[in-house]
Amino acid sequence: MTVKETSGGLALSLRSQTLNDLSSVRYAVWSQVNGQDDLHWYQANSQGEVLVPYRDHTGTGLYNIHVYTLKNGQLQGVTTTSKTVSEPHLSTKIEALDTATYQITISGVPDYLTDLSLPVWSDSNGQDDLEWVQASKIAENTYSATVRLSNHNYNLGHYSAHIYGKNQLANGKQEGLLATKGFTVTAIADKDKLVNSFFIDISSYQKEISVAQFASLKSQGIQGVVVKLTEGTNYINPFAASQVANARAAGLTVSAYHYSHYTSAAEAQAEARYFAAAAERYGFNKTAVMVNDMEADGMLTNINANTQAWEAALKNLGYTNLVHYTMGSWLDINGGSVNTNLFGLKNFWVAHYYDGYQVMSQERAKSLSLYKGAAAWQFTSVAPLIGMSLDQSLDYTGRFTR
């Protein structure tokens, strides 16, 4: 008989030369702690196998497994064994991928711990820049999380990072697992180029834009482009594939946006999944900026709860670099309905045309720097670039332009 820890639970398997019908096998399983208060019975399949979910039991330590066969309505003992489920002993490795990006690798993660996440913050101003980073499983019992200093105002000094996870041996409760030693940032290369840079957004309205045109935009100070991929649950930008490919070929940072219409949590989740499927098709990785364009009439009712559902659906699919685009008038800081504290002002891209529908230069935009605490400010919709009138935005953190 074998017992193996897996991501779904304890995998039990019995091989027998004498039992003809292995589906008659019954397993009694309980943990040593507190006697048999968590005893559960499991029926094997025709191969003598069964998966014992962690959620059926509590705690680490010794687990007793007694094996029976059901014959003529009576249980007959076959064999016994035990399995020790060890407490977690995590180890971490923190390394700089560049001066503005750090990777935290977590090893020794037992299978009963899932959904690892890390609150990360710089120590310079308490926890005012605290950001939860979702870790991804990269190998057996090993996870990785990427920390971008753009989400922490490019602060210098020491950063703290703690590790949390959901314990399936404690009814899925989120528990603190480890306080890492953190890391120290002493300098950031080309910091001035990482912040206060410019980007545009495009949709099918702009149709085909060539590599040469994108290169021209780059020479005019544009370092990023946000491409509309989807709208609702039944529209895909027919020019998205070429727009994404040509912008990347010109060396621009490419992000994606979805024009939302949801008026319920279910609709929000369906739109998020539709958006994610398109993003995967067009080669966007899980760290790409994914924008929720909120401006459609009718969205304001229950917009905060519905937008939380949109976020949750994308995060469940592994996308964590989420930004919400909307008009300044929709934000609570201007008397609107959208709760910026709920989502974090730093995760908003705000449209506010201070000079109306007049051209605003990049220099004037930098001098005004409205919504400085946000991710970005869209300051004009009539930027005269490559023979078109384009939306142009100021990137405060580098999320859209590096």
Side-chain angles (χ1 to χ4, degrees), residues 83-105:
K83 170 69 175 178
T84 298
V85 178
S86 301
E87 293 185 1
H89 296 284
L90 308 186
S91 61
T92 60
K93 178 182 179 182
I94 303 176
E95 56 186 337
L97 302 181
D98 56 47
T99 59
T101 312
Y102 286 74
Q103 180 173 289
I104 302 176
T105 302

Side-chain angles (χ1 to χ4, degrees), residues 17 28-29 92 129 198 200 238 245 280-281 285 292 323 380 390:
Q17 301 293 327
V29 182
T92 60
D129 63 329
F198 297 93
I200 62 167
E280 185 174 0
R281 277 198 305 275
N285 61 36
N292 175 25
V323 171
T380 184
L390 296 173

Side-chain angles (χ1 to χ4, degrees), residues 237-309:
N237 172 9
F239 298 96
S242 65
Q243 289 172 343
V244 170
N246 290 348
R248 286 172 175 161
L252 296 174
T253 298
V254 184
S255 306
Y257 84 86
H258 168 83
Y259 192 98
S260 295
H261 288 277
Y262 54 77
T263 58
S264 69
E267 290 177 2
Q269 292 176 327
E271 290 192 30
R273 291 190 291 268
Y274 187 71
F275 181 30
E280 185 174 0
R281 277 198 305 275
Y282 294 126
F284 288 91
N285 61 36
K286 297 300 176 66
T287 63
V289 175
M290 300 280 281
V291 178
N292 175 25
D293 184 348
M294 303 188 299
E295 55 180 302
D297 293 339
M299 288 187 65
L300 282 173
T301 302
N302 295 324
I303 191 168
N304 294 307
N306 294 341
T307 300
Q308 283 183 300

Side-chain angles (χ1 to χ4, degrees), residues 57-319:
H57 302 275
T58 55
T60 56
L62 185 70
Y63 276 72
N64 296 296
I65 303 165
H66 288 195
V67 186
Y68 298 84
T69 183
L70 185 64
K71 188 174 181 179
N72 298 324
Q74 300 293 319
L75 288 174
Q76 298 180 4
V78 176
T79 188
T80 65
T81 189
S82 61
K83 170 69 175 178
T84 298
V85 178
S86 301
E87 293 185 1
H89 296 284
L90 308 186
S91 61
T92 60
K93 178 182 179 182
I94 303 176
E95 56 186 337
L97 302 181
D98 56 47
T99 59
T101 312
Y102 286 74
Q103 180 173 289
I104 302 176
T105 302
I106 310 161
S107 303
V109 182
D111 288 305
Y112 57 82
L113 294 179
T114 62
D115 298 312
L116 268 61
S117 57
L118 298 83
V120 181
W121 67 94
S122 61
D123 296 349
S124 56
N125 293 304
Q127 293 185 330
D128 67 337
D129 63 329
L130 187 148
E131 180 88 5
W132 281 87
V133 181
Q134 194 71 30
S136 300
K137 191 171 185 177
I138 59 173
E140 187 174 0
N141 306 121
T142 305
Y143 286 71
S144 177
T146 302
V147 179
R148 291 175 176 79
L149 302 192
S150 60
N151 295 329
H152 302 276
N153 305 312
Y154 292 102
N155 291 336
L156 300 180
H158 185 263
Y159 281 70
S160 296
H162 294 181
I163 303 172
Y164 286 75
K166 292 182 179 178
N167 189 344
Q168 302 308 309
L169 289 173
N171 295 315
K173 178 183 177 182
Q174 186 181 54
E175 298 180 347
L177 303 174
L178 182 68
T180 76
K181 65 180 180 181
F183 57 93
T184 300
V185 180
T186 57
I188 300 173
D190 298 322
K191 181 178 179 179
D192 292 340
K193 296 180 180 179
L194 300 178
V195 297
N196 297 329
S197 48
F198 297 93
F199 65 96
I200 62 167
D201 58 273
I202 58 176
S203 65
S204 61
Y205 182 79
Q206 284 76 30
K207 299 183 179 179
E208 295 279 354
I209 300 178
S210 67
V211 176
Q213 287 175 304
F214 279 121
S216 176
L217 286 168
K218 190 173 183 180
S219 71
Q220 298 175 71
I222 302 300
Q223 297 182 41
V225 57
V226 188
V227 178
K228 179 180 180 179
L229 299 189
T230 50
E231 180 172 341
T233 56
N234 56 15
Y235 173 83
I236 293 180
N237 172 9
F239 298 96
S242 65
Q243 289 172 343
V244 170
N246 290 348
R248 286 172 175 161
L252 296 174
T253 298
V254 184
S255 306
Y257 84 86
H258 168 83
Y259 192 98
S260 295
H261 288 277
Y262 54 77
T263 58
S264 69
E267 290 177 2
Q269 292 176 327
E271 290 192 30
R273 291 190 291 268
Y274 187 71
F275 181 30
E280 185 174 0
R281 277 198 305 275
Y282 294 126
F284 288 91
N285 61 36
K286 297 300 176 66
T287 63
V289 175
M290 300 280 281
V291 178
N292 175 25
D293 184 348
M294 303 188 299
E295 55 180 302
D297 293 339
M299 288 187 65
L300 282 173
T301 302
N302 295 324
I303 191 168
N304 294 307
N306 294 341
T307 300
Q308 283 183 300
W310 185 92
E311 276 199 351
L314 276 174
K315 288 179 178 178
N316 188 53
L317 293 170
Y319 296 93

Side-chain angles (χ1 to χ4, degrees), residues 150 195-201 226 255 289 291 322-328 331 333 344-352 365 369-380 392-401:
S150 60
V195 297
N196 297 329
S197 48
F198 297 93
F199 65 96
I200 62 167
D201 58 273
V226 188
S255 306
V289 175
V291 178
L322 308 181
V323 171
H324 303 286
Y325 169 93
T326 195
M327 297 78 73
L331 302 181
I333 58 176
L345 181 59
K346 64 184 177 181
N347 294 314
F348 280 89
W349 169 20
V350 186
H352 184 149
S369 290
L370 300 186
Y371 302 96
K372 184 71 173 178
W377 168 39
Q378 186 183 84
F379 57 87
T380 184
Q392 189 174 183
S393 299
L394 178 58
D395 183 5
Y396 290 126
T397 65
R399 289 168 77 175
F400 292 94
T401 52

Side-chain angles (χ1 to χ4, degrees), residues 18 20 115 268 389:
T18 58
N20 295 323
D115 298 312
S389 291

